[in-house]
């Protein structure tokens, strides 16, 4: 199987999706001849031309708003927002039309479209380039929110998102874009939206994470298992909304302890929602407070300090140990 | 500094029928009688509908809505030239256009009385739902037009918005996207002078809004919005250009909001009656009726009959609405996603259980 | 003491704040001669003129963006967004400048401004007029989020918000605007931001709510106390961010049980964050899962069905009883 | 349809010094030698700074940044006419203007190397922080100008943004707010032909951007952005108008992005060298140096000395930067609110404890 980076895997997904379905098209800033600033759309303009790979003016609200119209007209736009921080410019169109059009029209106009955006920290970028605001979208009825963690699931989830009849926010952890390669088969592959992945089964404690933080968690879990002898269960959420509550609740009902790790801000973040659900579905099994390992409620800092701001493996290990020690 | 700023000028207003129903013969499109009579009926029905709705609102049968009085010609003119394959994107004040496009009176009553089955456009009508969020429908309308280009379809989109909407950034982006993509879209900016209490002079530093389109490279014209012939001609020509691949047109339809902003509004707080009075004489319906009479298309008696028939049609529809309209609280989870995810399935069950407990149908 | 509706109380606050400080000014759509569509700014244009009460063009992003500039220049703009649903149009300016300018400039440009907006359901309005999306703002570092529940606290909190050196999102429950009158003293009065109010002390269970839902909760609590003999403690949050975690945790540590009531959507909503904090600060005292009584994860429905969509007293009573019955 | 669309025309470009440094004597502002020499030094320092930063970036000392090469005259011209009481709102490519306004070289190096102490404008400089989010600084700049009106202060604001930024809805709203409020603001739209890989032809359907301002009723002109005399004059006049209560001006500064979009960009992927070549001859510095020499203001030797001095100044600043710059992770909670609320105090404590455990200063 070919080894691909996440960027290459995403590019492969776009290519195969466009090949399968003429209604799939790409819209965004610099996605054409330039292939996107991260090169995710590289070569697609050359292959599919101006009609299907559209460079847009520099206006994100315009990208999403016109894509909604194209989706109403039966196309499947895969839009790129250059950095997720700039999706704020499109918030109105996302919330008022993209997320709601199906409901507003009682099913007449489903919006089958994808908003791709690189998100998260770790690449030494200036301000507004490192946000993790997936909680905004998870709080917005009508959207789905998908976040892959590696090349193979990125490709399979993007395929599934493009096929999905509903609007999908597809956040790509840019710190993973070129971080490693993985086997990604040539044959078309999808993963169901709404399903979490138990990366490592375990019995002592459940760690739940997603996106680039999965790398941090993997590192922490390796240490916890190998050095500290803790049998951690590690879950990769993959889909933030819908969320695979059943898998999470089943896991924590077994382990009784849980640590949640993400880059997004703490207050009203994804971890809060997971805690609320575990409180509802696994309350009687909880042996310790569920801990949140997240970025603080601060704007993402200037990049000289970002490595301290972002959770690292030591933070996860400490949280796991404290949770285990709790009585 | 001696460079001359670009001259904003003020472009002439396209008019066929003047206030006194005098015709500029060189421009008269000479539509056939059948067409003219249909147009007239559309105008009258719009007004009957609107007035009945106001009564119903005052009696507590309707939610807040935005009366259309005086803007009927703008409304009709912007959709008369459209085919069923063309698309239309209404504002919340676009009753006239919606009725012409095939929205039934009952549907519109249901919509404004808060029944969700009234919101979606009728099954065979290529319209967007109206937009309450000012200007938010304009980008999707342009997107549909871009979709027509994508599929090489020779159709067009007309999108309706107000003078107030012209200030929204999203509308500016829509103009630009349409222009750079040569999208087959006709922007109808219905300048009725007011955005609630805000007059055009506080909305824009320009004395006309057609320059706004021009600033994005879109051929832009001003049209007398109270002249149904001028409106129809202008939109017809713009639609033709659009379908022929010549791109967007920006039409500023100059009219006036004769009535309340909405039924929640009291214009006496912020505008003098003197501002309204001159527009009484510019009534788009009276003007057109003079034209029809003068040209022997309709007699006074025939005109009166149209008014009666329209009133009767509206009342019949109101009665059907009264008989028909039922709140359907059990349906609110039906259209959020293609398939309901487990968490929403659980929320739905809890919600339905609650309805059961409360004995709600 | 004069009896005032919430609208009158807010109007009084604006008037007295403008009287005290020439840098306080009002900006928004139809706030001038028209006095705002809900008449909250009634008479202020007449009294303070065009300079201090500014009708803006119909562009919310413009309202917030220019207000940020005015705040940088030392003014204290109190902006009105006609309905909170339209604040999505200003999301970019709120998130990127209003919330962050102090931090972006290392304290050089604090943004002392208020964004007022009527929010919530219950007034038979068309779509986009009934949203409760305070969770967006609570997830946005740099903002404060304040939600009064009655005329007196509305007036005192608005005064405090205008005085506050930081940007405040001030959400006004429009269902309460004219619902009742309360004594509101003429003398200037403030309430501290970040302090919850224990409306009724109790020992069996804690109900936490805010905004228009406080009326629903009051009704439910009256029944619970009088008819069912349950000694409920009722807390009015008032400040969503910062949140008075100490008061909440202290209460639930005493009662061991908790129900949270709000209009906002459930997923990633305010209740989720409260649960997460109680999990952290009162875990050992919890005798039952904390229940959420919220609107479902759906767009606010068309108004014929809104009364079923919104939580009512029966829903609160049922949740309280289920929580009490849990073992 | 026989109504003429509004003519977009293409307005002349204001120029004093042409490509060959020929002067249009009727326009030459005849600045004093002292002023001219200062302007020259500003241009050269900007270029030295920019080139050094590129080297430092390539050596891993800097984050991604956007080189300024070829746009130095635009940069300087837009701030030379400003007083310390006027405000300036830079883009991320506005080094030249920032240096002139009093940002030290070290501060800018710190900024682009990701040290938070580099971000805020220097204490006594009335500048906004530069904006990374395209167009997002334009509304606040207009707001400052509205604040000047509020306080009847006779100052103005200059705000700098690119051709790409002209597509943002928020920029359109800013133009409109400025126009309706007669705000003392000068919009300098630096049209360098490109927004990353997107040429103007994909950004706008118009062949110039000055019409954009005109569409909002703002006096608008095009200026040769590579001619420092024309730029300075145009901004000077616009600032004078603004301060005199005559409202905003829109200046399209026509220039060219000679270098990379940013250091993360590779323009060879999307543009032909042939498009760049003609602009080599239009170098704003060389052109101005010819003018200075021809008018006897500076000799070739003096000019060479300026270049050396600027290079030395930049290197000295770089050395100070290297000695000075320290990451301060303990400060990240310091400026989020006037007073830290309890939940953030707790988060701060946890964060500081973590730093302690990890032995981070
Ligand atoms: C984004 C947004 N802001 C504010 C409102 C409230 N509002 C409803 S109608 C209206 C005025 C609209 O004026 P205009 O666009 O001229 O249309 P008209 O009502 O005159 O038809 C306003 C401010 C809204 N619906 N949407
Ligand atoms: C809102 C937003 N969208 C996208 C970007 C990514 N981006 C950074 S610079 C740039 C091009 C800007 O072009 P222009 O405004 O012409 O300025 P220039 O770079 O030419 O100086 C883009 C798309 C951004 N920073 N902000
Ligand atoms: Mg209007
Ligand atoms: Mg550019």
């Amino acid at each position: 199987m070919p080894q691909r980076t996440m960027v290459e895997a995403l590019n492969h997904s776009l290519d195969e999706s466009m090949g399968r379905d003429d209604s799939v098209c790409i819209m965004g800033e610099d996605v054409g001849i330039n292939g996107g600033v991260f090169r995710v759309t590289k070569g697609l303009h050359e292959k599919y031309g101006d009609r299907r790979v559209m460079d847009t003016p520099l206006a994100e609200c315009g990208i999403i708003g016109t894509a909604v119209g194209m989706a109403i007209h039966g196309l499947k736009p895969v839009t790129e927002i250059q950095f997720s921080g700039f999706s704020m410019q499109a918030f109105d169109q996302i919330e008022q039309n993209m997320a709601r059009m199906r409901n507003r029209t009682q099913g007449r106009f489903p919006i089958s479209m994808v908003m791709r955006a690189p998100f998260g920290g770790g690449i030494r970028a200036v301000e507004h380039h490192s946000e993790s605001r997936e909680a905004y979208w998870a709080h917005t009825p009508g959207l789905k929110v998908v976040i892959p963690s590696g090349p193979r699931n990125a490709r399979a989830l993007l395929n599934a998102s493009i096929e999905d009849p509903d609007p999908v926010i597809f956040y790509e952890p840019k710190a993973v874009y070129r971080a490693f390669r993985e086997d990604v088969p040539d044959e078309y592959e999808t993963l169901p939206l709404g399903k979490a992945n138990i990366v490592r089964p375990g019995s002592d404690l459940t760690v739940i994470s997603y996106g680039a933080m999965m790398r941090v968690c993997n590192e922490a879990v390796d240490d916890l298992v190998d050095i500290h002898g803790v049998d951690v269960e590690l879950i990769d959420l993959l889909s933030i909304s819908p969320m695979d509550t059943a898998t999470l609740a089943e896991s924590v009902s077994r382990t009784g302890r849980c640590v949640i790790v993400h880059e997004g801000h703490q207050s009203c973040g994804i971890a809060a929602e997971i805690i609320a659900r575990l409180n509802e579905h696994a309350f009687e099994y909880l042996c310790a407070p569920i801990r949140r390992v997240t970025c603080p409620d601060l704007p993402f800092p200037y990049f000289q300090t970002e490595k301290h701001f972002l959770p690292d493996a030591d933070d996860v290990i400490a949280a796991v140990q404290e949770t285990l020690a709790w009585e | 500094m001696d460079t001359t700023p670009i001259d904003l000028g003020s472009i002439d207003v396209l008019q066929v029928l003047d206030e006194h129903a005098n015709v500029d013969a060189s421009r008269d499109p000479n539509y056939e009688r059948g067409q003219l009579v249909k147009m007239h009926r559309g105008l009258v029905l719009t007004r009957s509908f609107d007035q009945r709705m106001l009564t119903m609102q005052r009696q507590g049968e309707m939610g807040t809505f935005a009366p259309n009085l005086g803007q009927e010609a703008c409304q009709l003119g912007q959709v008369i030239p459209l085919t069923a394959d063309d698309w239309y994107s209404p504002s919340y004040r676009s009753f006239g256009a919606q009725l012409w496009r095939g929205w039934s009176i009952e549907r519109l009553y249901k919509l404004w009385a808060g029944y969700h089955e009234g919101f979606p456009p009728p099954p065979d009508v290529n319209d967007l739902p109206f937009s309450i969020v000012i200007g938010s429908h304009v980008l999707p309308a342009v997107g549909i037009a871009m979709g027509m280009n994508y599929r090489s379809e020779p159709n067009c989109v007309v999108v309706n918005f107000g003078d107030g909407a012209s200030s929204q950034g999203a509308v500016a982006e829509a103009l630009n996207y349409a222009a750079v993509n040569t999208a087959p879209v006709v922007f109808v900016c219905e300048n009725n002078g007011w955005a609630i209490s805000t007059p055009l002079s506080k909305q824009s530093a320009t004395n006309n809004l057609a320059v706004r389109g021009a600033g994005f490279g879109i051929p832009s014209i001003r049209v007398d919005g109270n002249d149904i012939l001028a409106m129809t001609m202008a939109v017809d020509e713009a639609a033709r250009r659009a379908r022929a691949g010549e791109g967007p047109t920006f039409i500023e339809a100059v009219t006036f909001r004769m009535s309340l902003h909405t039924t929640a509004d009291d214009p006496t707080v912020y505008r003098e009656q003197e501002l309204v009075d001159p527009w009484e004489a510019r009534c788009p319906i009276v003007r057109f009726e003079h034209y029809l009479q003068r040209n022997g298309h309709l007699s006074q008696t025939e005109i009166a009959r149209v008014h009666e028939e329209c009133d009767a049609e509206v009342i019949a529809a109101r009665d059907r609405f009264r008989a028909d309209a039922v709140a359907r609280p059990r349906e609110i989870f039906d259209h959020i996603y293609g398939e309901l995810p487990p968490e929403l399935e659980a929320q739905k069950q809890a919600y339905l259980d609650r309805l059961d407990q409360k004995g709600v149908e």
Side-chain angles (χ1 to χ4, degrees), chain A, chain B:
Chain A
M1 270 198 262
Q3 290 264 315
R4 292 183 165 101
T5 63
M6 187 183 277
V7 164
E8 290 160 358
L10 291 166
N11 182 267
H12 185 59
S13 160
L14 293 171
D15 189 6
E16 64 191 335
S17 297
M18 293 182 83
R20 291 161 60 93
D21 182 352
D22 180 71
S23 64
V24 176
C25 56
I26 289 176
M27 303 170 68
E29 294 155 10
D30 308 294
V31 295
I33 182 172
N34 197 37
V37 295
F38 288 104
R39 304 290 180 256
V40 174
T41 58
K42 189 175 165 187
L44 299 176
H45 180 263
E46 205 179 346
K47 185 159 171 187
Y48 297 102
D50 270 346
R51 185 178 79 103
R52 297 189 62 194
V53 182
M54 287 165 264
D55 274 330
T56 65
L58 210 175
E60 289 75 12
C61 187
I63 295 173
I64 301 301
T66 55
V68 166
M70 296 183 75
I72 289 171
H73 205 54
L75 301 176
K76 286 174 164 285
V78 183
T79 61
E80 175 176 304
I81 299 294
Q82 215 163 75
F83 287 85
S84 72
F86 310 144
S87 57
M88 304 304 113
Q89 264 56 19
F91 211 105
D92 46 347
Q93 285 296 328
I94 297 171
E95 195 265 329
Q96 293 158 354
N97 286 324
M98 179 175 163
R100 292 189 182 203
M101 190 56 79
R102 179 194 278 273
N103 195 64
R104 294 181 64 208
T105 59
Q106 306 292 303
R108 167 94 191 269
F109 299 137
I111 302 297
S112 179
M113 67 175 274
V114 177
M115 179 181 109
R116 293 181 39 242
F119 88 113
I123 62 152
R124 292 169 57 87
V126 280
E127 52 169 5
H128 301 285
H129 280 74
S130 305
E131 321 331 276
S132 297
R133 297 287 176 89
E134 56 278 11
Y136 288 152
W137 313 130
H139 186 60
T140 305
L143 298 177
K144 295 182 176 173
V145 185
V146 175
I147 302 186
S149 60
R152 185 160 183 175
N153 60 34
R155 182 277 196 123
L157 287 168
L158 184 52
N159 282 347
S161 299
I162 295 171
E163 281 188 21
D164 199 83
D166 289 309
V168 178
I169 305 286
F170 193 89
Y171 264 21
E172 300 166 3
K174 59 176 134 10
V176 184
Y177 265 164
R178 296 195 160 76
F180 59 96
R181 289 177 182 275
E182 230 176 38
D183 285 336
V184 178
D186 279 329
E187 312 74 63
Y188 189 75
E189 191 175 69
T190 64
L191 271 174
L193 306 189
K195 277 304 293 167
N197 179 24
I198 301 182
V199 175
R200 181 189 188 281
S203 57
D204 291 344
L205 180 146
T206 306
V207 171
I208 302 170
S209 189
Y210 56 88
M213 281 296 122
M214 281 305 295
R215 296 191 75 205
V216 167
C217 291
N218 271 314
E219 192 190 326
V221 169
D222 283 351
D223 272 18
L224 284 162
V225 173
D226 297 345
I227 303 175
H228 305 278
V230 184
D231 188 20
V232 178
E233 175 144 320
L234 176 60
I235 300 184
D236 184 355
L237 220 43
L238 296 176
S239 210
I240 308 301
S241 176
M243 191 185 277
D244 190 355
T245 318
T247 295
L248 306 184
E250 187 281 325
S251 170
V252 176
S253 300
R254 271 192 285 107
T255 61
R257 294 172 201 262
C258 180
V259 169
I260 307 165
V261 185
H262 64 56
E263 288 185 50
H265 309 298
Q266 183 162 304
S267 289
C268 291
I270 303 302
E273 180 57 29
I274 296 175
I275 293 174
R277 293 186 186 204
L278 292 174
N279 153 82
E280 283 151 8
H281 295 284
F283 180 80
E284 58 269 50
Y285 303 102
L286 286 177
C287 310
I290 300 168
R291 287 189 76 92
R292 299 190 268 186
V293 180
T294 69
C295 286
D297 291 325
L298 293 179
F300 202 92
Y302 304 101
F303 67 77
Q304 288 292 347
T305 54
E306 73 174 320
K307 76 161 179 282
H308 307 300
F309 183 77
L310 287 167
D312 65 14
D314 287 343
D315 300 328
V316 177
I317 292 170
V320 167
Q321 287 175 329
E322 284 163 38
T323 305
L324 288 170
W326 204 90
E327 6 200 342
Chain B
M1 196 148 42
D2 52 1
T3 32
T4 31
I6 294 170
D7 182 21
L8 293 180
S10 64
I11 189 160
D12 280 349
V13 176
L14 176 69
Q15 196 182 54
V16 179
L17 269 182
D18 77 9
E19 240 173 278
H20 312 290
N22 297 321
V23 187
D24 178 342
S26 73
R27 298 200 200 257
D28 189 342
N30 291 310
Y31 292 128
E32 289 174 5
R33 178 174 185 277
Q35 170 73 350
L36 292 167
V37 166
K38 218 180 134 203
M39 286 159 80
H40 173 249
R41 196 190 167 83
L43 291 172
V44 176
L45 186 67
T46 301
R47 185 162 296 182
S48 297
F49 168 86
D50 194 50
Q51 288 178 331
R52 180 63 46 193
M53 189 130 106
L54 191 57
T55 311
M56 292 165 76
Q57 199 280 336
R58 293 314 189 204
Q59 291 166 348
E61 275 184 292
M62 282 290 147
T64 304
F65 83 97
N68 190 262
L69 191 74
Q71 300 181 219
E72 297 88 352
C74 280
Q75 282 295 307
L76 272 287
Q78 66 192 262
V79 286
I80 288 171
L82 297 189
T83 70
D85 289 332
D86 294 326
W87 281 68
Y88 178 62
S89 178
S91 115
Y92 49 87
R93 208 186 286 283
S94 308
F95 308 133
Q98 286 172 304
L99 290 171
W100 184 275
R101 290 282 292 172
W103 294 60
S104 70
I105 300 175
E106 299 95 286
R107 181 178 289 266
L108 290 175
Y109 283 156
K110 284 184 186 166
L111 189 171
W112 290 102
Y115 296 93
H116 57 240
E117 66 267 39
F119 271 71
D124 300 325
V125 175
N126 281 332
D127 284 9
L128 287 183
F130 82 100
S131 148
I132 266 295
V133 186
I134 302 294
S136 66
H137 58 310
V138 186
L139 278 165
V142 171
I144 292 174
M146 287 165 62
M148 291 169 175
N149 277 352
Y150 191 94
R151 298 248 188 254
S152 307
E153 294 160 355
N155 306 315
C156 73
V157 181
V158 168
V159 53
N160 185 202
F161 56 92
D163 46 305
S166 73
S167 295
Q168 284 287 352
V171 173
E173 294 189 10
L175 297 175
N176 195 40
Y177 271 70
V180 296
N181 288 298
T182 324
V185 56
V186 183
F187 297 100
V188 178
C189 177
E190 208 164 318
N191 177 2
N192 63 3
W194 298 88
I196 310 186
S197 71
T198 309
L200 185 65
S201 58
K202 287 189 168 186
Q203 200 67 249
S204 177
T206 60
N207 60 7
N208 73 78
L209 289 172
V211 286
R212 196 62 54 78
F216 290 89
I218 300 177
S220 303
I221 59 167
R222 306 188 84 200
V223 178
D224 180 346
N226 285 20
D227 171 357
I228 188 160
L229 296 178
M231 274 301 298
T232 307
M233 280 172 64
V235 174
D236 192 37
E237 170 69 4
R240 190 203 56 67
R241 289 186 62 245
R243 295 188 198 105
E246 293 167 39
T249 305
F250 185 99
I251 296 177
E252 178 190 358
V254 183
T255 181
F256 197 84
R257 200 195 78 214
M258 302 298 292
S259 179
L260 316 161
H261 166 67
T262 66
T263 49
D265 178 51
D266 175 10
T268 64
V269 172
Y270 55 80
R271 76 176 182 189
E272 304 295 329
Q273 188 55 33
E274 289 92 274
L275 291 169
V276 184
D277 290 337
W279 287 86
E280 293 286 356
R282 299 186 190 130
C283 172
I285 300 185
V286 171
R287 187 190 304 187
F288 191 50
E289 287 175 349
H290 281 154
Y291 169 86
L292 292 172
Q293 282 180 270
R294 199 171 301 162
N295 290 298
H297 294 309
L298 283 179
S299 70
Q300 184 124 32
T301 333
E302 284 169 323
I303 287 172
R305 188 167 331 119
V306 172
H307 283 264
E308 279 159 32
E309 283 169 9
C310 287
D311 281 343
E313 187 177 334
V314 163
I315 287 185
R318 181 205 60 189
D319 293 342
R320 285 196 302 278
F321 156 76
R322 284 182 177 167
D324 248 37
V326 209
R328 303 184 201 281
R330 290 184 179 269
E331 292 179 356
I332 66 173
F333 284 83
D334 285 5
H335 298 295
I336 179 71
Y337 291 104
E339 206 177 306
L340 215 54
E343 55 255 67
L344 269 165
E345 193 57 57
Q347 291 183 15
K348 178 179 173 183
Q349 275 318 319
Y351 169 82
L352 293 180
D353 290 349
R354 251 171 64 193
L355 292 189
D356 288 343
Q357 279 154 27
K358 296 177 189 172
V360 177
E361 288 284 295

